[in-house]
Amino acid sequence: MDRVTALQNQLLNHLAAEAETIGKISPLNLYHPIEYTLNMGGKRLRPLMVLLANELFGGKAEDVMNGALAIEIFHNFTLLHDDIMDKAEVRRNKPAVHKQYNENIAILSGDAMSIMAYRYLLKTKAAKLPEIISLFTETAIEVCEGQQYDMDFEERQDVSVEEYLKMIRLKTAVLLACSFKMGALAANASEHDAENIYQFGINLGLAFQLQDDLLDVYADPEKFGKRIGGDIVANKKTFLLITALKRANEYEKTQLNDWLQKSYFDEPAKIAAVKAIYESTGVREICEAAIKTYYDKALFSLTNIEVEPTKKQNLLFLAKSIMGREH
Amino acid sequence: MDRVTALQNQLLNHLAAEAETIGKISPLNLYHPIEYTLNMGGKRLRPLMVLLANELFGGKAEDVMNGALAIEIFHNFTLLHDDIMDKAEVRRNKPAVHKQYNENIAILSGDAMSIMAYRYLLKTKAAKLPEIISLFTETAIEVCEGQQYDMDFEERQDVSVEEYLKMIRLKTAVLLACSFKMGALAANASEHDAENIYQFGINLGLAFQLQDDLLDVYADPEKFGKRIGGDIVANKKTFLLITALKRANEYEKTQLNDWLQKSYFDEPAKIAAVKAIYESTGVREICEAAIKTYYDKALFSLTNIEVEPTKKQNLLFLAKSIMGREH
């Protein structure tokens, strides 16, 4: 899809130029870490979603580019602060900001980024800018809620599937949905279409996160960037673990809880044992079915958008690409 | 000034009601610390400035109350994150949020507060709301810059008076100025008047911060809430220390630097010794003169506002009250 690539390049150029400008502002200890963060790379999916949704409704990339940057800056702010909270030392093969600089600088640079997101948002050319700012604000609060639920769940043993789905909706899906809707609103899409593209984002986000949970265990190690089984080793409460705990018989439940409680263990042994319980409880198939359900819902919302179907090809390509279905 | 007290009470009621509502939202680990923070007390000067400026230009408190709350929530967010960065364990005689809860909760609750400030801002009824949002955003970024300069200065021995003044302008004065200007804009004040009330806030803020530096050393211990000489003990780079280092002769400079480098010392001895150098270098008088200059500038800007002088009494009362000149 040449158009997607073209928009992506336009976006990357803007982002690189802005990052360079930001990195030169004083005080450097505030702004250089922001440049560092923005230059860490990543797929830049969210701002691309803004641009593609905007184009679907006839908008121009130049008009909404600042809104797209706002989303990317906000997203990078959340990663920066999440890394402090998770004590994650590495992000995209580089030292996390709190390791490269220090924790105080990481807190404050993140704070500045969340405000700078508004600065970019305010530069967006759109008649519906007030609505866009409200959408962004409510979404940003939801993302904070999602992160808090995620931290809360790490301390709890009784998280339900419903609670987990609510958490990933807040932590991941709403920002994708907001990105699409922002692009749509900036191009003056109807309320009906704006709502449908929002639901497209929500369901795509849920499908994406569940697939992420699945890939941690079942990915092809050659294609998967991260180590297989990382979530299992870390006792991460994923869809798989929560569903397995719910479906396990007494014997499996005891085994699973034993592994969860061990402080010292052989990692491959733990991964193999937990995987065996995932097999016997059938959670792989349940997760795959859930992914399909959300992905189909996403496609249904896309169908509902009252725009000529051929124009939707770029968004469909993006959706397939996110779900790893295009290659 | 009955009217000031009446507005203050109206404000306190709104704030208490909002804090209570916020404290009940899930996830409680995100929202309860926000309620805790908002209930910590304080003089609520900034939101009062919004209301008073608004009333000066004929606005109604109800219309701008949400903007006033936005400023207070933002200000409390900065205190919350500053306490993490400064490792300050106590705020207004209560455990700081990162001690009462934990550091991760403090980071995330602060993040949510900075976004919630926008939620309240967006509820403000004002034709000039886009301008108000821009003003708030640019101010918030400046406050982050001020905090970074403050942290940078703690590591530096060569901070100039000009740099110090720039830092306190960013860290303290601009938010006061923004509060006044927000109130003015919400009441559709002219650009001329909005700029003058902004300068009133900047100069009042500078005078206030310099007075704070002075009171740390020269306050009446019975009236001063904090321990006298705390800045001296902590080597805080105040206007007094920076000016003393600049004006000291070689002998005084050596003495001052000796005290600054000591890790173990008798606190009263250090306070007495540094105070003696402040006396001999005349920095008390220089600081008092600077305070008078900024305070007079503030009053001049107030005079410039094209509103009937009698209507300015409330703002004048507030200014005097802040500077401790009314009692």
Side-chain angles (χ1 to χ4, degrees), chain A residues 79-91 95-99 103 147 151, chain B residues 102-105 107:
Chain A
L79 298 180
L80 198 173
H81 274 197
D82 284 4
D83 283 347
I84 305 173
M85 293 185 254
D86 300 342
K87 307 202 188 312
E89 303 200 349
V90 174
R91 160 85 47 196
V97 175
H98 64 105
K99 299 307 284 182
E103 201 168 304
Q147 168 69 4
M151 297 198 302
Chain B
N102 64 47
E103 200 166 306
N104 282 355
I105 285 181
I107 292 173

Side-chain angles (χ1 to χ4, degrees), chain B residues 155-219:
Chain B
E155 312 291 320
R156 282 179 47 195
Q157 302 308 322
D158 61 345
V159 180
S160 70
V161 173
E162 290 68 32
E163 286 179 303
Y164 178 74
L165 291 172
K166 180 181 177 182
M167 184 275 283
I168 62 172
R169 187 176 65 76
L170 293 168
K171 186 166 170 166
T172 302
V174 295
L175 191 57
L176 307 194
C178 167
S179 303
F180 285 129
K181 189 170 176 181
M182 177 185 290
L185 290 175
N188 294 310
S190 70
E191 213 173 293
H192 167 90
D193 285 348
E195 177 56 24
N196 271 294
I197 205 159
Y198 186 85
Q199 290 304 328
F200 172 62
I202 290 287
N203 289 299
L204 190 61
L206 293 172
F208 174 68
Q209 185 56 52
L210 293 181
Q211 170 140 304
D212 203 56
D213 288 3
L214 198 68
L215 286 176
D216 178 75
V217 185
Y218 297 107

